[in-house]
């Protein structure tokens, strides 16, 4: 009979050292634990408006068909995305969330002895993706909470296989200007895959921002990832995708599971993509909520990291302790001590009443 430790030693070295991703606490779990109702969750950067009604209708209709396998080639969704993004549909790789795509990229290009570069305060999935394939994680220091692209380019060695960059970054909400990315891509050797994770692209309106899709033709080693989980409001269905050179997509397609996006998710994503009015409203509600929260924090003299996403890192002192106290007020936010940001908590922007609940609970706790 194996002991726990012996069972652990059966796993690959990478998996033995792996710490699993810590997701936001589900509302039902908190309500069950505390015996309360009406908890608010502002912990996973979800869309507070829910899904687009058109996506919901498409999902309901698709339910009648779930005895069938989904279209493993995601033909219709890829066509709709190709049209919207002005790329070829062969350049798109569908994912069970963009998380799935990030892991597929790591598995496709890196293994034991290889290096994967990402930034301090970079998205928590990157170290997991690197570790799971047995690659060495190379973490470059941030500047003012943001990616230091010069340090990242300088960290490239002959063993570097993949560089993960989130623009904008979660959890810090910092972002990179077009000219910075352009200069970075020019410096990185074309044998290194550069992943620009644009999970929050839809929220961006800064004049100096540009989606990395702009450089795909020039840099075949570039992969752009996007998701339906945030502004499109489909986090629970798990749909994301990569856009890349079509030969790179061909490689990713060999590694991904053949039916990695389910039938309901495919239908909903296609409908969500067409619902531009919903997307505009989601972006607008987010901008209003961000302004609301920042204004009140400014008035109270509470520090935060300015963010362009649908979330904000607020400096609260002892993050983990304040997180626990907020839970007891029925408000779920996200601790970020796992990122080395123990003085901060990340709050997702909600609708106005949810933001008020958070602010009131926070001031109560901090008082
Ligand atoms: C939320 C998020 C993702 C992925 O979410 P999925 O639900 O897996 O599509 C990817 N990157 C960043 C930076 C994120 O914050």
């Amino acid at each position: 009979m194996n002991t726990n430790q012996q069972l652990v030693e059966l796993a690959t070295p990478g998996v033995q050292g792996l710490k699993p991703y810590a997701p936001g606490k589900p509302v039902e779990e908190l309500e069950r634990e505390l015996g309360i109702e009406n908890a608010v969750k502002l912990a996973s950067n979800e869309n507070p408006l829910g899904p687009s009604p058109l996506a919901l209708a498409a999902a309901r209709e698709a339910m009648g068909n779930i005895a069938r396998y989904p279209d493993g080639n995601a033909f219709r969704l890829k066509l709709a995305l190709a049209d919207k993004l002005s790329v070829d549909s062969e350049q798109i790789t569908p994912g069970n969330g963009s998380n799935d795509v990030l892991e597929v990229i790591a598995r496709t290009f890196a293994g034991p002895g290889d290096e994967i570069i990402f930034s301090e305060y970079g998205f928590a999935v990157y170290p997991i993706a690197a570790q799971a394939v047995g690659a060495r994680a190379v973490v470059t220091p941030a500047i003012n909470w943001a990616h230091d692209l010069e340090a990242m380019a300088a960290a490239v060695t002959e063993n570097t296989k993949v560089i993960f960059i989130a623009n904008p970054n979660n959890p810090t909400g910092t972002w990179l200007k077009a000219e910075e990315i352009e200069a970075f891509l020019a410096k990185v050797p074309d044998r290194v895959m550069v992943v620009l994770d644009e999970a929050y692209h839809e929220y961006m309106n800064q004049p100096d921002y540009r989606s990395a899709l702009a450089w795909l033709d020039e840099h075949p080693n570039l992969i752009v990832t996007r998701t339906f989980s945030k502004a499109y409001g489909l986090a629970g269905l798990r749909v994301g995708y990569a856009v890349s050179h079509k030969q790179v997509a061909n490689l990713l397609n060999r590694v991904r599971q053949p039916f990695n996006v389910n039938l309901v998710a495919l239908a909903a994503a296609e409908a969500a993509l067409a619902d531009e009015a919903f997307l505009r409203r989601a972006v607008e509600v987010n901008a209003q909520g961000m302004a609301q929260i920042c204004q009140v924090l400014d008035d109270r003299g509470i520090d935060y990291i300015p963010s362009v996403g649908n979330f904000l890192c607020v400096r609260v002192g002892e993050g983990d302790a304040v997180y626990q106290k907020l839970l007891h007020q029925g408000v779920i936010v996200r601790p970020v001590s796992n990122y080395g940001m123990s003085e901060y908590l990340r709050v997702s922007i909600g609708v106005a009443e949810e933001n008020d609940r958070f602010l009131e609970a926070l001031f109560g706790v901090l008082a």
Side-chain angles (χ1 to χ4, degrees):
M1 196 68 168
N2 283 311
T3 64
N4 284 347
Q5 186 51 35
Q6 284 166 333
L7 288 168
V8 167
E9 284 162 12
L10 297 178
T12 62
V15 172
Q16 288 186 36
L18 198 58
K19 275 205 219 105
Y21 182 79
K25 196 179 191 63
V27 165
E28 307 84 76
E29 187 180 307
L30 180 68
E31 292 182 342
R32 200 167 55 232
E33 284 172 2
L34 297 184
I36 59 169
E37 281 171 24
N38 301 321
V40 297
K41 182 185 176 201
L42 298 171
S44 299
N45 303 345
E46 295 147 341
N47 191 326
L49 301 180
S52 130
L54 297 186
L56 195 57
R60 289 208 166 104
E61 195 180 322
M63 285 297 282
N65 230 355
I66 58 172
R68 302 280 175 198
Y69 279 96
D71 173 5
N73 191 32
F75 177 80
R76 287 171 54 109
L77 178 60
K78 276 169 42 175
L79 214 59
L81 284 168
D83 186 50
K84 181 165 178 90
L85 306 175
S86 302
V87 298
D88 196 297
S89 70
E90 287 174 40
Q91 293 179 260
I92 296 167
T93 308
N96 187 26
S98 58
N99 228 301
D100 180 30
V101 183
L102 298 171
E103 284 179 15
V104 166
I105 292 167
R107 277 196 281 145
T108 303
F109 295 101
D114 295 331
E115 292 170 1
I116 294 182
I117 300 173
F118 51 87
S119 173
E120 181 186 17
Y121 314 128
F123 184 44
V125 162
Y126 310 152
I128 295 172
Q131 178 99 33
V133 299
R136 195 167 83 83
V138 175
V139 187
T140 57
I143 304 186
N144 292 329
W145 304 108
H147 289 63
D148 179 348
L149 290 187
E150 288 189 16
M152 296 185 89
V156 171
T157 72
E158 60 189 15
N159 297 322
T160 305
K161 292 292 158 68
V162 179
I163 304 176
F164 284 117
I165 296 169
N167 190 35
N169 184 52
N170 170 22
T172 55
T174 52
W175 62 285
L176 297 159
K177 292 183 180 164
E179 60 185 22
E180 298 176 82
I181 295 175
E182 199 164 15
F184 173 78
L185 290 170
K187 259 186 268 176
V188 174
D190 57 13
R191 61 179 170 78
V192 176
M193 300 309 299
V194 177
V195 181
L196 260 293
D197 176 346
E198 297 184 349
Y200 302 94
H201 163 79
E202 294 78 12
Y203 295 103
M204 297 299 285
N205 63 359
Q206 289 67 18
D208 296 337
Y209 167 82
R210 236 169 129 195
S211 165
L213 289 177
W215 299 291
L216 271 180
D217 287 344
E218 234 175 300
H219 296 285
N221 58 323
L222 177 61
I223 304 175
V224 180
T225 61
R226 300 259 184 100
T227 182
F228 284 91
S229 297
K230 309 287 160 61
Y232 284 103
L234 298 180
L237 280 179
R238 318 298 306 124
V239 200
Y241 58 94
V243 190
S244 65
H245 186 283
K246 65 181 180 186
Q247 187 55 58
V248 172
N250 179 292
L251 294 170
L252 300 177
N253 262 311
R254 298 177 195 186
V255 176
R256 75 174 175 94
Q257 286 181 39
F259 303 109
N260 61 343
V261 185
N262 73 71
L263 183 142
V264 178
L266 285 173
E270 194 187 334
L273 198 63
D275 195 347
E276 289 178 4
F278 175 82
L279 187 69
R280 272 198 300 277
R281 212 172 109 243
V283 169
E284 196 179 294
V285 166
N286 183 63
Q288 287 164 356
M290 182 69 86
Q292 173 196 1
I293 291 179
C294 289
Q295 179 67 60
V296 175
L297 293 176
D298 286 342
D299 291 348
R300 295 265 183 154
I302 294 175
D303 193 22
Y304 55 85
I305 304 173
S307 167
V308 294
N310 65 345
F311 54 87
L312 186 71
C313 279
V314 183
R315 193 168 175 189
V316 297
E318 292 197 28
D320 288 342
V322 175
Y323 166 71
Q324 290 297 336
K325 289 181 183 162
L326 288 174
L327 286 183
H328 284 269
Q329 309 285 319
V331 176
I332 310 171
V333 297
R334 193 66 156 269
V336 281
S337 50
N338 57 322
Y339 283 94
M341 300 172 66
S342 58
E343 290 192 9
Y344 288 81
L345 287 175
R346 191 194 71 192
V347 61
S348 303
I349 309 304
V351 295
E353 308 83 78
E354 293 172 320
N355 300 334
D356 281 336
R357 278 277 306 272
F358 160 70
L359 290 165
E360 266 172 44
L362 180 68
F363 299 143
V365 166
L366 293 182

